[in-house]
Amino acid sequence: MAWTPERIEELTQLWNAGHSASAIGKKLGVSKNAVVGKAHRLNLPARPSPIRRDSKPAQPARKPAPVLKTPPPMPAAPAKEERRRPPMVRVQQQQEKSTGRRCQWPIGDPATPDFHFCEAPAAGGKPYCAEHCAVAYVVKSRDRSSEAA
DNA sequence: CCCTGATTCGC
DNA sequence: GCGAATCAGG
């Protein structure tokens, strides 16, 4: 059954009158999916629905194959945007080296209170200490000497 | 298990 | 554009 202007009008009226999608569908002789689908397509006002589908976590099955052709070459290097204020231990380490050039290597889950940075003295202009430089730049190192572990 | 609406995706 | 399938909360 096609959506004739009359049907669309009736749908709109019933929808705006607060009838449920299934009730409207029953009246129009279509499924509630058809009603809610059409309503959504018509940009009718979304009626009270607590359903939240926009959770951050990965959505499986629905989007299976991103198929990336250019994998980023530095998997171990964390982004600067990940920067968060570390716990209170910061004060102590600042006393030792207040120049601010401290290792930015993230430790723990950024979404967790115990998240902090390494903050050992950074090695030669790098954002990380010597140990974490070895981890962050492992790809480059391997590229040159094939070992260093 | 029933209801609800929202979103996706093959047609 | 359509709507069944699927998802998701009450």
Side-chain angles (χ1 to χ4, degrees), chain A residues 77-90 93 100 102-110 112-121 127-129 132:
Chain A
K80 283 186 177 180
E81 286 73 9
E82 290 294 324
R83 189 190 300 220
R84 295 288 191 281
R85 268 188 55 255
M88 286 175 258
V89 278
R90 181 173 67 133
Q93 299 184 347
R102 288 170 288 113
C103 179
Q104 296 180 13
W105 190 265
I107 297 176
D109 185 0
T112 298
D114 62 272
F115 174 76
H116 62 283
F117 288 97
C118 168
E119 299 202 351
Y128 313 118
C129 67
H132 286 135

PDB file of all heavy atoms in Angstrom, chain A residues 77-90 93 100 102-110 112-121 127-129 132:
ATOM      1  N   ALA A  77      52.684   4.945  19.503  1.00  0.00           N
ATOM      2  CA  ALA A  77      52.765   6.337  19.929  1.00  0.00           C
ATOM      3  C   ALA A  77      51.393   6.897  20.239  1.00  0.00           C
ATOM      4  O   ALA A  77      50.538   6.970  19.370  1.00  0.00           O
ATOM      5  CB  ALA A  77      53.416   7.160  18.823  1.00  0.00           C
ATOM      6  N   PRO A  78      51.136   7.300  21.465  1.00  0.00           N
ATOM      7  CA  PRO A  78      49.830   7.841  21.872  1.00  0.00           C
ATOM      8  C   PRO A  78      49.649   9.265  21.375  1.00  0.00           C
ATOM      9  O   PRO A  78      50.610   9.996  21.178  1.00  0.00           O
ATOM     10  CB  PRO A  78      49.898   7.810  23.399  1.00  0.00           C
ATOM     11  CG  PRO A  78      51.356   7.869  23.710  1.00  0.00           C
ATOM     12  CD  PRO A  78      52.084   7.228  22.575  1.00  0.00           C
ATOM     13  N   ALA A  79      48.406   9.628  21.170  1.00  0.00           N
ATOM     14  CA  ALA A  79      48.114  10.970  20.681  1.00  0.00           C
ATOM     15  C   ALA A  79      48.187  11.990  21.802  1.00  0.00           C
ATOM     16  O   ALA A  79      47.933  11.685  22.951  1.00  0.00           O
ATOM     17  CB  ALA A  79      46.729  10.993  20.043  1.00  0.00           C
ATOM     18  N   LYS A  80      48.492  13.218  21.440  1.00  0.00           N
ATOM     19  CA  LYS A  80      48.571  14.273  22.449  1.00  0.00           C
ATOM     20  C   LYS A  80      47.210  14.574  23.057  1.00  0.00           C
ATOM     21  O   LYS A  80      47.119  15.011  24.186  1.00  0.00           O
ATOM     22  CB  LYS A  80      49.133  15.551  21.817  1.00  0.00           C
ATOM     23  CG  LYS A  80      50.636  15.494  21.621  1.00  0.00           C
ATOM     24  CD  LYS A  80      51.151  16.834  21.124  1.00  0.00           C
ATOM     25  CE  LYS A  80      52.665  16.813  20.986  1.00  0.00           C
ATOM     26  NZ  LYS A  80      53.175  18.107  20.512  1.00  0.00           N
ATOM     27  N   GLU A  81      46.173  14.314  22.278  1.00  0.00           N
ATOM     28  CA  GLU A  81      44.830  14.602  22.766  1.00  0.00           C
ATOM     29  C   GLU A  81      44.462  13.734  23.952  1.00  0.00           C
ATOM     30  O   GLU A  81      43.525  14.023  24.668  1.00  0.00           O
ATOM     31  CB  GLU A  81      43.809  14.405  21.656  1.00  0.00           C
ATOM     32  CG  GLU A  81      43.838  15.502  20.622  1.00  0.00           C
ATOM     33  CD  GLU A  81      45.048  15.414  19.728  1.00  0.00           C
ATOM     34  OE1 GLU A  81      45.770  14.408  19.804  1.00  0.00           O
ATOM     35  OE2 GLU A  81      45.294  16.367  18.977  1.00  0.00           O
ATOM     36  N   GLU A  82      45.225  12.669  24.144  1.00  0.00           N
ATOM     37  CA  GLU A  82      44.941  11.775  25.262  1.00  0.00           C
ATOM     38  C   GLU A  82      45.375  12.401  26.578  1.00  0.00           C
ATOM     39  O   GLU A  82      45.152  11.867  27.637  1.00  0.00           O
ATOM     40  CB  GLU A  82      45.672  10.455  25.063  1.00  0.00           C
ATOM     41  CG  GLU A  82      45.080   9.634  23.925  1.00  0.00           C
ATOM     42  CD  GLU A  82      43.677   9.184  24.277  1.00  0.00           C
ATOM     43  OE1 GLU A  82      43.431   8.890  25.447  1.00  0.00           O
ATOM     44  OE2 GLU A  82      42.827   9.130  23.384  1.00  0.00           O
ATOM     45  N   ARG A  83      46.026  13.527  26.499  1.00  0.00           N
ATOM     46  CA  ARG A  83      46.604  14.126  27.705  1.00  0.00           C
ATOM     47  C   ARG A  83      45.546  14.435  28.762  1.00  0.00           C
ATOM     48  O   ARG A  83      44.525  15.025  28.501  1.00  0.00           O
ATOM     49  CB  ARG A  83      47.315  15.414  27.312  1.00  0.00           C
ATOM     50  CG  ARG A  83      48.135  15.998  28.446  1.00  0.00           C
ATOM     51  CD  ARG A  83      48.607  17.374  28.066  1.00  0.00           C
ATOM     52  NE  ARG A  83      49.431  17.281  26.849  1.00  0.00           N
ATOM     53  CZ  ARG A  83      50.541  17.997  26.700  1.00  0.00           C
ATOM     54  NH1 ARG A  83      50.959  18.788  27.642  1.00  0.00           N
ATOM     55  NH2 ARG A  83      51.193  17.905  25.576  1.00  0.00           N
ATOM     56  N   ARG A  84      45.804  14.018  29.951  1.00  0.00           N
ATOM     57  CA  ARG A  84      44.934  14.319  31.076  1.00  0.00           C
ATOM     58  C   ARG A  84      45.805  14.705  32.261  1.00  0.00           C
ATOM     59  O   ARG A  84      46.979  14.378  32.313  1.00  0.00           O
ATOM     60  CB  ARG A  84      44.094  13.100  31.468  1.00  0.00           C
ATOM     61  CG  ARG A  84      43.117  12.676  30.403  1.00  0.00           C
ATOM     62  CD  ARG A  84      41.955  13.653  30.262  1.00  0.00           C
ATOM     63  NE  ARG A  84      40.914  13.078  29.416  1.00  0.00           N
ATOM     64  CZ  ARG A  84      40.993  13.066  28.107  1.00  0.00           C
ATOM     65  NH1 ARG A  84      42.009  13.604  27.495  1.00  0.00           N
ATOM     66  NH2 ARG A  84      40.042  12.508  27.398  1.00  0.00           N
ATOM     67  N   ARG A  85      45.198  15.347  33.210  1.00  0.00           N
ATOM     68  CA  ARG A  85      45.962  15.660  34.403  1.00  0.00           C
ATOM     69  C   ARG A  85      46.199  14.402  35.217  1.00  0.00           C
ATOM     70  O   ARG A  85      45.263  13.689  35.532  1.00  0.00           O
ATOM     71  CB  ARG A  85      45.226  16.689  35.254  1.00  0.00           C
ATOM     72  CG  ARG A  85      45.653  18.113  34.906  1.00  0.00           C
ATOM     73  CD  ARG A  85      45.071  19.091  35.888  1.00  0.00           C
ATOM     74  NE  ARG A  85      45.420  18.737  37.256  1.00  0.00           N
ATOM     75  CZ  ARG A  85      44.580  18.189  38.119  1.00  0.00           C
ATOM     76  NH1 ARG A  85      43.365  17.900  37.745  1.00  0.00           N
ATOM     77  NH2 ARG A  85      44.949  17.931  39.326  1.00  0.00           N
ATOM     78  N   PRO A  86      47.413  14.129  35.548  1.00  0.00           N
ATOM     79  CA  PRO A  86      47.741  12.946  36.353  1.00  0.00           C
ATOM     80  C   PRO A  86      47.331  13.142  37.795  1.00  0.00           C
ATOM     81  O   PRO A  86      46.983  14.256  38.191  1.00  0.00           O
ATOM     82  CB  PRO A  86      49.270  12.844  36.257  1.00  0.00           C
ATOM     83  CG  PRO A  86      49.737  14.063  35.567  1.00  0.00           C
ATOM     84  CD  PRO A  86      48.570  14.918  35.202  1.00  0.00           C
ATOM     85  N   PRO A  87      47.367  12.076  38.559  1.00  0.00           N
ATOM     86  CA  PRO A  87      47.055  12.165  39.994  1.00  0.00           C
ATOM     87  C   PRO A  87      48.045  13.054  40.722  1.00  0.00           C
ATOM     88  O   PRO A  87      48.916  13.660  40.137  1.00  0.00           O
ATOM     89  CB  PRO A  87      47.182  10.720  40.469  1.00  0.00           C
ATOM     90  CG  PRO A  87      47.065   9.897  39.257  1.00  0.00           C
ATOM     91  CD  PRO A  87      47.566  10.706  38.127  1.00  0.00           C
ATOM     92  N   MET A  88      47.958  13.043  42.032  1.00  0.00           N
ATOM     93  CA  MET A  88      48.716  13.987  42.850  1.00  0.00           C
ATOM     94  C   MET A  88      50.215  13.738  42.858  1.00  0.00           C
ATOM     95  O   MET A  88      50.975  14.588  43.252  1.00  0.00           O
ATOM     96  CB  MET A  88      48.199  13.958  44.284  1.00  0.00           C
ATOM     97  CG  MET A  88      46.860  14.646  44.390  1.00  0.00           C
ATOM     98  SD  MET A  88      46.192  14.484  46.029  1.00  0.00           S
ATOM     99  CE  MET A  88      45.016  13.210  45.778  1.00  0.00           C
ATOM    100  N   VAL A  89      50.637  12.603  42.424  1.00  0.00           N
ATOM    101  CA  VAL A  89      52.062  12.296  42.419  1.00  0.00           C
ATOM    102  C   VAL A  89      52.856  13.307  41.608  1.00  0.00           C
ATOM    103  O   VAL A  89      54.051  13.421  41.722  1.00  0.00           O
ATOM    104  CB  VAL A  89      52.345  10.896  41.839  1.00  0.00           C
ATOM    105  CG1 VAL A  89      52.136   9.868  42.914  1.00  0.00           C
ATOM    106  CG2 VAL A  89      51.459  10.656  40.650  1.00  0.00           C
ATOM    107  N   ARG A  90      52.159  14.045  40.820  1.00  0.00           N
ATOM    108  CA  ARG A  90      52.805  15.023  39.949  1.00  0.00           C
ATOM    109  C   ARG A  90      53.744  15.947  40.729  1.00  0.00           C
ATOM    110  O   ARG A  90      54.822  16.286  40.277  1.00  0.00           O
ATOM    111  CB  ARG A  90      51.738  15.849  39.260  1.00  0.00           C
ATOM    112  CG  ARG A  90      52.310  16.873  38.314  1.00  0.00           C
ATOM    113  CD  ARG A  90      51.191  17.519  37.553  1.00  0.00           C
ATOM    114  NE  ARG A  90      50.358  18.304  38.459  1.00  0.00           N
ATOM    115  CZ  ARG A  90      49.983  19.544  38.183  1.00  0.00           C
ATOM    116  NH1 ARG A  90      50.353  20.119  37.096  1.00  0.00           N
ATOM    117  NH2 ARG A  90      49.231  20.214  39.013  1.00  0.00           N
ATOM    118  N   GLN A  93      57.300  14.642  41.424  1.00  0.00           N
ATOM    119  CA  GLN A  93      58.166  14.547  40.253  1.00  0.00           C
ATOM    120  C   GLN A  93      58.521  15.920  39.713  1.00  0.00           C
ATOM    121  O   GLN A  93      59.565  16.105  39.124  1.00  0.00           O
ATOM    122  CB  GLN A  93      57.490  13.710  39.182  1.00  0.00           C
ATOM    123  CG  GLN A  93      57.243  12.296  39.692  1.00  0.00           C
ATOM    124  CD  GLN A  93      56.672  11.393  38.640  1.00  0.00           C
ATOM    125  OE1 GLN A  93      56.240  11.850  37.600  1.00  0.00           O
ATOM    126  NE2 GLN A  93      56.664  10.104  38.902  1.00  0.00           N
ATOM    127  N   GLY A 100      59.524  20.685  33.081  1.00  0.00           N
ATOM    128  CA  GLY A 100      58.315  20.342  32.356  1.00  0.00           C
ATOM    129  C   GLY A 100      58.550  19.322  31.253  1.00  0.00           C
ATOM    130  O   GLY A 100      57.602  18.799  30.696  1.00  0.00           O
ATOM    131  N   ARG A 102      58.769  16.172  30.718  1.00  0.00           N
ATOM    132  CA  ARG A 102      58.603  14.870  31.351  1.00  0.00           C
ATOM    133  C   ARG A 102      57.942  13.881  30.406  1.00  0.00           C
ATOM    134  O   ARG A 102      57.257  14.284  29.470  1.00  0.00           O
ATOM    135  CB  ARG A 102      57.761  15.022  32.618  1.00  0.00           C
ATOM    136  CG  ARG A 102      58.527  15.713  33.736  1.00  0.00           C
ATOM    137  CD  ARG A 102      57.636  16.093  34.896  1.00  0.00           C
ATOM    138  NE  ARG A 102      56.769  17.219  34.533  1.00  0.00           N
ATOM    139  CZ  ARG A 102      55.471  17.121  34.423  1.00  0.00           C
ATOM    140  NH1 ARG A 102      54.872  15.978  34.635  1.00  0.00           N
ATOM    141  NH2 ARG A 102      54.750  18.170  34.107  1.00  0.00           N
ATOM    142  N   CYS A 103      58.135  12.640  30.663  1.00  0.00           N
ATOM    143  CA  CYS A 103      57.613  11.588  29.782  1.00  0.00           C
ATOM    144  C   CYS A 103      56.083  11.622  29.770  1.00  0.00           C
ATOM    145  O   CYS A 103      55.440  11.576  30.809  1.00  0.00           O
ATOM    146  CB  CYS A 103      58.092  10.210  30.249  1.00  0.00           C
ATOM    147  SG  CYS A 103      57.458   8.857  29.231  1.00  0.00           S
ATOM    148  N   GLN A 104      55.521  11.708  28.594  1.00  0.00           N
ATOM    149  CA  GLN A 104      54.063  11.785  28.452  1.00  0.00           C
ATOM    150  C   GLN A 104      53.440  10.425  28.222  1.00  0.00           C
ATOM    151  O   GLN A 104      52.284  10.330  27.824  1.00  0.00           O
ATOM    152  CB  GLN A 104      53.707  12.699  27.275  1.00  0.00           C
ATOM    153  CG  GLN A 104      54.149  14.125  27.503  1.00  0.00           C
ATOM    154  CD  GLN A 104      53.786  14.995  26.319  1.00  0.00           C
ATOM    155  OE1 GLN A 104      53.010  14.600  25.465  1.00  0.00           O
ATOM    156  NE2 GLN A 104      54.349  16.192  26.274  1.00  0.00           N
ATOM    157  N   TRP A 105      54.188   9.399  28.441  1.00  0.00           N
ATOM    158  CA  TRP A 105      53.636   8.059  28.184  1.00  0.00           C
ATOM    159  C   TRP A 105      52.474   7.777  29.123  1.00  0.00           C
ATOM    160  O   TRP A 105      52.620   7.862  30.340  1.00  0.00           O
ATOM    161  CB  TRP A 105      54.717   7.003  28.381  1.00  0.00           C
ATOM    162  CG  TRP A 105      54.265   5.665  27.897  1.00  0.00           C
ATOM    163  CD1 TRP A 105      53.710   4.669  28.651  1.00  0.00           C
ATOM    164  CD2 TRP A 105      54.317   5.193  26.565  1.00  0.00           C
ATOM    165  NE1 TRP A 105      53.410   3.595  27.854  1.00  0.00           N
ATOM    166  CE2 TRP A 105      53.780   3.887  26.558  1.00  0.00           C
ATOM    167  CE3 TRP A 105      54.756   5.715  25.357  1.00  0.00           C
ATOM    168  CZ2 TRP A 105      53.677   3.118  25.408  1.00  0.00           C
ATOM    169  CZ3 TRP A 105      54.654   4.946  24.216  1.00  0.00           C
ATOM    170  CH2 TRP A 105      54.120   3.669  24.252  1.00  0.00           C
ATOM    171  N   PRO A 106      51.297   7.469  28.563  1.00  0.00           N
ATOM    172  CA  PRO A 106      50.108   7.228  29.391  1.00  0.00           C
ATOM    173  C   PRO A 106      50.162   5.871  30.065  1.00  0.00           C
ATOM    174  O   PRO A 106      50.567   4.892  29.459  1.00  0.00           O
ATOM    175  CB  PRO A 106      48.961   7.277  28.377  1.00  0.00           C
ATOM    176  CG  PRO A 106      49.592   6.888  27.080  1.00  0.00           C
ATOM    177  CD  PRO A 106      51.023   7.345  27.129  1.00  0.00           C
ATOM    178  N   ILE A 107      49.771   5.849  31.310  1.00  0.00           N
ATOM    179  CA  ILE A 107      49.743   4.593  32.053  1.00  0.00           C
ATOM    180  C   ILE A 107      48.345   4.397  32.631  1.00  0.00           C
ATOM    181  O   ILE A 107      47.825   5.262  33.323  1.00  0.00           O
ATOM    182  CB  ILE A 107      50.776   4.610  33.194  1.00  0.00           C
ATOM    183  CG1 ILE A 107      52.183   4.739  32.596  1.00  0.00           C
ATOM    184  CG2 ILE A 107      50.655   3.363  34.059  1.00  0.00           C
ATOM    185  CD1 ILE A 107      53.280   4.875  33.630  1.00  0.00           C
ATOM    186  N   GLY A 108      47.751   3.275  32.311  1.00  0.00           N
ATOM    187  CA  GLY A 108      46.405   2.987  32.792  1.00  0.00           C
ATOM    188  C   GLY A 108      45.354   3.439  31.795  1.00  0.00           C
ATOM    189  O   GLY A 108      45.664   3.944  30.715  1.00  0.00           O
ATOM    190  N   ASP A 109      44.114   3.271  32.170  1.00  0.00           N
ATOM    191  CA  ASP A 109      42.994   3.633  31.306  1.00  0.00           C
ATOM    192  C   ASP A 109      42.653   5.104  31.495  1.00  0.00           C
ATOM    193  O   ASP A 109      42.393   5.541  32.609  1.00  0.00           O
ATOM    194  CB  ASP A 109      41.793   2.767  31.664  1.00  0.00           C
ATOM    195  CG  ASP A 109      40.628   3.024  30.718  1.00  0.00           C
ATOM    196  OD1 ASP A 109      40.760   3.870  29.806  1.00  0.00           O
ATOM    197  OD2 ASP A 109      39.588   2.384  30.896  1.00  0.00           O
ATOM    198  N   PRO A 110      42.658   5.898  30.405  1.00  0.00           N
ATOM    199  CA  PRO A 110      42.342   7.331  30.492  1.00  0.00           C
ATOM    200  C   PRO A 110      40.989   7.609  31.126  1.00  0.00           C
ATOM    201  O   PRO A 110      40.771   8.683  31.679  1.00  0.00           O
ATOM    202  CB  PRO A 110      42.351   7.764  29.032  1.00  0.00           C
ATOM    203  CG  PRO A 110      43.242   6.793  28.357  1.00  0.00           C
ATOM    204  CD  PRO A 110      43.036   5.473  29.065  1.00  0.00           C
ATOM    205  N   THR A 112      39.850   6.240  33.707  1.00  0.00           N
ATOM    206  CA  THR A 112      39.924   5.759  35.092  1.00  0.00           C
ATOM    207  C   THR A 112      40.730   6.730  35.948  1.00  0.00           C
ATOM    208  O   THR A 112      41.693   7.317  35.471  1.00  0.00           O
ATOM    209  CB  THR A 112      40.612   4.374  35.101  1.00  0.00           C
ATOM    210  OG1 THR A 112      39.833   3.477  34.353  1.00  0.00           O
ATOM    211  CG2 THR A 112      40.764   3.860  36.502  1.00  0.00           C
ATOM    212  N   PRO A 113      40.341   6.915  37.188  1.00  0.00           N
ATOM    213  CA  PRO A 113      41.021   7.861  38.084  1.00  0.00           C
ATOM    214  C   PRO A 113      42.507   7.567  38.253  1.00  0.00           C
ATOM    215  O   PRO A 113      43.287   8.475  38.489  1.00  0.00           O
ATOM    216  CB  PRO A 113      40.294   7.672  39.409  1.00  0.00           C
ATOM    217  CG  PRO A 113      38.964   7.133  39.041  1.00  0.00           C
ATOM    218  CD  PRO A 113      39.165   6.326  37.805  1.00  0.00           C
ATOM    219  N   ASP A 114      42.872   6.320  38.145  1.00  0.00           N
ATOM    220  CA  ASP A 114      44.275   5.970  38.373  1.00  0.00           C
ATOM    221  C   ASP A 114      45.155   6.216  37.155  1.00  0.00           C
ATOM    222  O   ASP A 114      46.333   5.927  37.161  1.00  0.00           O
ATOM    223  CB  ASP A 114      44.388   4.499  38.795  1.00  0.00           C
ATOM    224  CG  ASP A 114      43.871   3.569  37.701  1.00  0.00           C
ATOM    225  OD1 ASP A 114      42.667   3.311  37.706  1.00  0.00           O
ATOM    226  OD2 ASP A 114      44.657   3.131  36.856  1.00  0.00           O
ATOM    227  N   PHE A 115      44.528   6.785  36.131  1.00  0.00           N
ATOM    228  CA  PHE A 115      45.320   7.072  34.933  1.00  0.00           C
ATOM    229  C   PHE A 115      46.335   8.174  35.221  1.00  0.00           C
ATOM    230  O   PHE A 115      46.051   9.160  35.868  1.00  0.00           O
ATOM    231  CB  PHE A 115      44.371   7.513  33.817  1.00  0.00           C
ATOM    232  CG  PHE A 115      45.115   7.965  32.600  1.00  0.00           C
ATOM    233  CD1 PHE A 115      45.686   7.040  31.749  1.00  0.00           C
ATOM    234  CD2 PHE A 115      45.242   9.311  32.320  1.00  0.00           C
ATOM    235  CE1 PHE A 115      46.377   7.454  30.624  1.00  0.00           C
ATOM    236  CE2 PHE A 115      45.933   9.728  31.188  1.00  0.00           C
ATOM    237  CZ  PHE A 115      46.498   8.802  30.341  1.00  0.00           C
ATOM    238  N   HIS A 116      47.547   7.972  34.719  1.00  0.00           N
ATOM    239  CA  HIS A 116      48.576   9.004  34.881  1.00  0.00           C
ATOM    240  C   HIS A 116      49.622   8.847  33.799  1.00  0.00           C
ATOM    241  O   HIS A 116      49.562   7.908  32.982  1.00  0.00           O
ATOM    242  CB  HIS A 116      49.223   8.883  36.257  1.00  0.00           C
ATOM    243  CG  HIS A 116      49.932   7.577  36.462  1.00  0.00           C
ATOM    244  ND1 HIS A 116      49.250   6.422  36.719  1.00  0.00           N
ATOM    245  CD2 HIS A 116      51.233   7.254  36.428  1.00  0.00           C
ATOM    246  CE1 HIS A 116      50.138   5.444  36.850  1.00  0.00           C
ATOM    247  NE2 HIS A 116      51.347   5.915  36.660  1.00  0.00           N
ATOM    248  N   PHE A 117      50.579   9.755  33.799  1.00  0.00           N
ATOM    249  CA  PHE A 117      51.670   9.652  32.838  1.00  0.00           C
ATOM    250  C   PHE A 117      52.933   9.172  33.539  1.00  0.00           C
ATOM    251  O   PHE A 117      53.078   9.320  34.755  1.00  0.00           O
ATOM    252  CB  PHE A 117      51.916  10.998  32.169  1.00  0.00           C
ATOM    253  CG  PHE A 117      50.838  11.370  31.199  1.00  0.00           C
ATOM    254  CD1 PHE A 117      49.801  12.207  31.578  1.00  0.00           C
ATOM    255  CD2 PHE A 117      50.839  10.852  29.910  1.00  0.00           C
ATOM    256  CE1 PHE A 117      48.806  12.544  30.684  1.00  0.00           C
ATOM    257  CE2 PHE A 117      49.838  11.196  29.013  1.00  0.00           C
ATOM    258  CZ  PHE A 117      48.817  12.043  29.403  1.00  0.00           C
ATOM    259  N   CYS A 118      53.826   8.652  32.734  1.00  0.00           N
ATOM    260  CA  CYS A 118      55.089   8.157  33.278  1.00  0.00           C
ATOM    261  C   CYS A 118      55.818   9.269  34.008  1.00  0.00           C
ATOM    262  O   CYS A 118      56.174   9.151  35.166  1.00  0.00           O
ATOM    263  CB  CYS A 118      55.942   7.600  32.144  1.00  0.00           C
ATOM    264  SG  CYS A 118      57.647   7.273  32.620  1.00  0.00           S
ATOM    265  N   GLU A 119      56.058  10.355  33.318  1.00  0.00           N
ATOM    266  CA  GLU A 119      56.637  11.574  33.889  1.00  0.00           C
ATOM    267  C   GLU A 119      58.067  11.437  34.362  1.00  0.00           C
ATOM    268  O   GLU A 119      58.579  12.274  35.095  1.00  0.00           O
ATOM    269  CB  GLU A 119      55.748  12.098  35.029  1.00  0.00           C
ATOM    270  CG  GLU A 119      54.367  12.449  34.509  1.00  0.00           C
ATOM    271  CD  GLU A 119      53.670  13.435  35.425  1.00  0.00           C
ATOM    272  OE1 GLU A 119      54.187  13.693  36.510  1.00  0.00           O
ATOM    273  OE2 GLU A 119      52.631  13.978  35.020  1.00  0.00           O
ATOM    274  N   ALA A 120      58.718  10.394  33.923  1.00  0.00           N
ATOM    275  CA  ALA A 120      60.169  10.371  34.103  1.00  0.00           C
ATOM    276  C   ALA A 120      60.756  11.429  33.164  1.00  0.00           C
ATOM    277  O   ALA A 120      60.095  11.850  32.214  1.00  0.00           O
ATOM    278  CB  ALA A 120      60.701   8.981  33.752  1.00  0.00           C
ATOM    279  N   PRO A 121      61.976  11.875  33.436  1.00  0.00           N
ATOM    280  CA  PRO A 121      62.595  12.885  32.557  1.00  0.00           C
ATOM    281  C   PRO A 121      62.593  12.429  31.110  1.00  0.00           C
ATOM    282  O   PRO A 121      62.975  11.309  30.796  1.00  0.00           O
ATOM    283  CB  PRO A 121      64.026  12.962  33.102  1.00  0.00           C
ATOM    284  CG  PRO A 121      63.902  12.578  34.534  1.00  0.00           C
ATOM    285  CD  PRO A 121      62.798  11.556  34.578  1.00  0.00           C
ATOM    286  N   PRO A 127      59.055  13.270  23.502  1.00  0.00           N
ATOM    287  CA  PRO A 127      58.000  13.450  24.514  1.00  0.00           C
ATOM    288  C   PRO A 127      58.004  12.355  25.568  1.00  0.00           C
ATOM    289  O   PRO A 127      57.205  12.387  26.490  1.00  0.00           O
ATOM    290  CB  PRO A 127      56.710  13.401  23.695  1.00  0.00           C
ATOM    291  CG  PRO A 127      57.065  12.617  22.479  1.00  0.00           C
ATOM    292  CD  PRO A 127      58.510  12.863  22.209  1.00  0.00           C
ATOM    293  N   TYR A 128      58.880  11.382  25.414  1.00  0.00           N
ATOM    294  CA  TYR A 128      58.891  10.261  26.345  1.00  0.00           C
ATOM    295  C   TYR A 128      60.276  10.056  26.940  1.00  0.00           C
ATOM    296  O   TYR A 128      61.270  10.552  26.421  1.00  0.00           O
ATOM    297  CB  TYR A 128      58.475   8.966  25.640  1.00  0.00           C
ATOM    298  CG  TYR A 128      57.242   9.122  24.804  1.00  0.00           C
ATOM    299  CD1 TYR A 128      57.300   8.922  23.436  1.00  0.00           C
ATOM    300  CD2 TYR A 128      56.032   9.490  25.374  1.00  0.00           C
ATOM    301  CE1 TYR A 128      56.169   9.088  22.644  1.00  0.00           C
ATOM    302  CE2 TYR A 128      54.901   9.655  24.594  1.00  0.00           C
ATOM    303  CZ  TYR A 128      54.980   9.449  23.232  1.00  0.00           C
ATOM    304  OH  TYR A 128      53.876   9.611  22.458  1.00  0.00           O
ATOM    305  N   CYS A 129      60.329   9.308  28.020  1.00  0.00           N
ATOM    306  CA  CYS A 129      61.606   8.941  28.607  1.00  0.00           C
ATOM    307  C   CYS A 129      62.286   7.892  27.720  1.00  0.00           C
ATOM    308  O   CYS A 129      61.704   7.397  26.764  1.00  0.00           O
ATOM    309  CB  CYS A 129      61.397   8.368  30.012  1.00  0.00           C
ATOM    310  SG  CYS A 129      60.528   6.781  30.019  1.00  0.00           S
ATOM    311  N   HIS A 132      60.356   4.545  27.366  1.00  0.00           N
ATOM    312  CA  HIS A 132      59.135   4.556  26.566  1.00  0.00           C
ATOM    313  C   HIS A 132      59.417   4.985  25.137  1.00  0.00           C
ATOM    314  O   HIS A 132      58.651   4.664  24.226  1.00  0.00           O
ATOM    315  CB  HIS A 132      58.100   5.467  27.240  1.00  0.00           C
ATOM    316  CG  HIS A 132      57.505   4.830  28.461  1.00  0.00           C
ATOM    317  ND1 HIS A 132      57.334   5.510  29.646  1.00  0.00           N
ATOM    318  CD2 HIS A 132      57.062   3.567  28.666  1.00  0.00           C
ATOM    319  CE1 HIS A 132      56.801   4.674  30.542  1.00  0.00           C
ATOM    320  NE2 HIS A 132      56.635   3.502  29.972  1.00  0.00           N
TER     321      HIS A 132
END
